[in-house]
């Protein structure tokens, strides 16, 4: 949440742009919603929309902006009837989808310079970092604790402010793709 807010402060379109910086103490002292999640551990609820145009690399080469190539993708589901049916709350479907995407793309976590991760809750980010292989199980807290994902850190993440501080109209995934394309284009 702290890193997301720092990124949002750099983004004039972010919903929380003018709200000022956050500290860990701010997050932990915000109202408890459902233990252990505080208000500032949870994504925003906003309006918004976005679009991504996907075309062939041959066609994209003629466009005014440089293309961003999709090297791989993966999808997996672990529960279809709700979160309570999830076999293990700490092992998301991202373990399976990441393995598929990494294999298809021919790259791995060590090849990634920035990440756009769904951040419905702060815990979602931590679980996803582990599932994607950026750190081991149980290591995500220390992975982000030193500011690694903040502006100026070695692993830029959710550089628009994410769902925690940019916007979250209910289907946030499109904004991850849009921001990734913006960043990859420089």
């Amino acid at each position: 949440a702290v890193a997301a807010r720092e990124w949002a402060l750099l983004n004039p379109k972010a919903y929380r742009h003018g709200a000022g910086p956050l500290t860990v103490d701010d997050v932990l002292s915000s109202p408890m919603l459902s233990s252990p999640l505080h208000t500032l551990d949870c994504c925003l609820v906003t309006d918004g929309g976005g679009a991504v145009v996907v075309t062939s690399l041959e066609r994209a080469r003629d466009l005014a902006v440089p293309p961003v190539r999709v090297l791989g993708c993966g999808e997996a589901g672990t529960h279809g009837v709700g979160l309570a049916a999830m076999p293990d709350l700490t092992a998301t479907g991202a373990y399976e989808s990441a393995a598929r995407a990494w294999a298809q793309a021919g790259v791995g976590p060590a090849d990634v310079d920035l990440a756009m991760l769904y951040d419905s809750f702060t815990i979602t980010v931590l679980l996803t970092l582990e599932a994607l292989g950026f750190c081991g199980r149980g290591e995500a807290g220390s992975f982000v604790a030193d500011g690694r994902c903040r502006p100026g850190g070695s692993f830029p993440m959710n550089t628009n402010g994410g769902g925690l501080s940019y916007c979250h109209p209910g289907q946030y995934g499109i904004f991850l793709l849009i921001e990734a394309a913006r960043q990859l284009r420089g």
Side-chain angles (χ1 to χ4, degrees), residues 24-45:
V24 172
D25 287 338
D26 292 335
V27 175
L28 296 177
S29 64
S30 66
M32 182 71 67
L33 289 181
S34 181
S35 182
L37 299 175
H38 295 83
T39 303
L40 293 175
D41 284 307
C42 304
C43 67
L44 302 170
V45 177

Side-chain angles (χ1 to χ4, degrees), residues 78-107:
T78 60
H79 53 288
V81 295
L83 191 61
M86 195 170 169
D88 179 350
L89 288 174
T90 66
T92 70
Y95 282 96
E96 292 178 43
S97 62
R100 292 178 184 136
W102 294 132
Q104 189 178 71
V107 301

